[in-house]
Amino acid sequence: MIDLALAFYLVLILPSQQMWRSIRKSDKPKRSREQRYLATIRSIGMTLIALVAACWWSGHTASDLGLGVPTSGAALWCLLIPILGLPLLHYAGKAREAKMPAAKVAEMYEQVRASDALPRTPGEMKLFVLTTLFIGGGWELLYRGFLTLVLTPLVGTWGAVLIAGVAYGAGHGYSNPKQITLSIVSAILFSVGYVLTGSVWWLIVVHVGIPLMGAISCYKILNQQPNGEAHAIS
């Protein structure tokens, strides 16, 4: 019953809450970045506590959730690919930026500076890193490892992939049709990747690594003076 209660929350309640929050208009004052980061950590942390309780009650092991140590096969290769590929992706992005016209680079930098979600101070950056770890690790465990485990006996493997993918994609909220479609499609692809490899580790590396690389690059931009020297933004 605890399994099903947590699955119900992940599939219906949480995505519905996120969709509602993203489309409704609120007159409440906007929270600071630190408050938003801490709220995310707290929300995922509480859900992970529920996951631990459900696993203890039902006897699920770490391996059941895809946390077994990948020693060979697809799981190991899929772990090595992002570990080796993410640094290459970073340097490829830097090389591409170096070839951009100055006006295009300036426009990109202005878009970064206009974002209210990115960390701007050392304290915010530390919280952002922790938040990213919770998001990447927590949601992969919950929506890939746990939901696939619980839903497969009820709806089959690919039914579980579809339900988990749609729920996780909807959990990103709604901005426009393109955004929600891409969120759902990418979530389904991640779930397919988990089913094919049986390992959640490589998905965590991807889910944590890409946002962190982007945030670090943007942090450097946000802390750069017009003459190119770094300074701390308060």
Side-chain angles (χ1 to χ4, degrees):
M1 287 300 294
I2 297 180
D3 277 1
L4 294 179
L6 180 56
F8 181 80
Y9 172 75
L10 293 171
V11 170
L12 293 176
I13 297 178
L14 182 58
S16 298
Q17 289 176 337
Q18 294 300 104
M19 290 288 286
W20 172 247
R21 288 171 183 167
S22 66
I23 61 177
R24 74 182 178 93
K25 295 181 179 179
S26 176
D27 296 327
K28 293 181 179 180
K30 197 167 187 179
R31 296 177 298 175
S32 67
R33 280 182 289 274
E34 293 96 332
Q35 289 173 326
R36 281 176 274 162
Y37 297 157
L38 288 171
T40 299
I41 292 170
R42 183 168 55 249
S43 174
I44 298 175
M46 293 176 64
T47 311
L48 288 174
I49 291 173
L51 173 64
V52 172
C55 290
W56 174 79
W57 183 266
S58 302
H60 301 318
T61 66
S63 294
D64 293 335
L65 299 177
L67 288 174
V69 179
T71 56
S72 61
L76 180 59
W77 281 109
C78 285
L79 177 60
L80 292 175
I81 288 173
I83 289 176
L84 299 175
L86 287 175
L88 294 176
L89 183 64
H90 170 73
Y91 287 112
K94 298 298 289 185
R96 178 173 174 269
E97 181 183 326
K99 295 179 181 179
M100 285 183 180
K104 184 68 174 178
V105 174
E107 179 185 350
M108 181 178 68
Y109 280 21
E110 284 304 313
Q111 291 175 349
V112 170
R113 294 188 179 98
S115 174
D116 186 49
L118 295 169
R120 294 171 179 263
T121 68
E124 288 179 358
M125 189 64 194
K126 291 176 184 177
L127 271 179
F128 184 87
V129 171
L130 185 59
T131 303
T132 304
L133 290 172
F134 267 80
I135 291 173
W139 290 144
E140 289 301 329
L141 277 176
L142 289 160
Y143 276 92
R144 247 62 78 176
F146 175 74
L147 274 186
T148 302
L149 176 67
V150 173
L151 294 179
T152 295
L154 302 175
V155 297
T157 299
W158 300 113
V161 165
L162 181 62
I163 292 173
V166 171
Y168 187 66
H172 285 80
Y174 178 86
S175 297
N176 53 65
K178 181 179 179 180
Q179 172 269 321
I180 189 66
T181 301
L182 288 176
S183 294
I184 291 174
V185 169
S186 61
I188 291 175
L189 290 176
F190 264 55
S191 294
V192 170
Y194 171 68
V195 167
L196 293 179
T197 62
S199 175
V200 78
W201 285 113
W202 69 279
L203 296 170
I204 292 175
V205 172
V206 172
H207 205 156
V208 171
I210 292 178
L212 276 186
M213 284 197 316
I216 291 170
S217 297
C218 292
Y219 182 76
K220 292 178 180 178
I221 294 171
L222 290 167
N223 284 274
Q224 192 175 58
Q225 293 179 338
N227 61 8
E229 296 178 359
H231 74 293
I233 295 179
S234 59

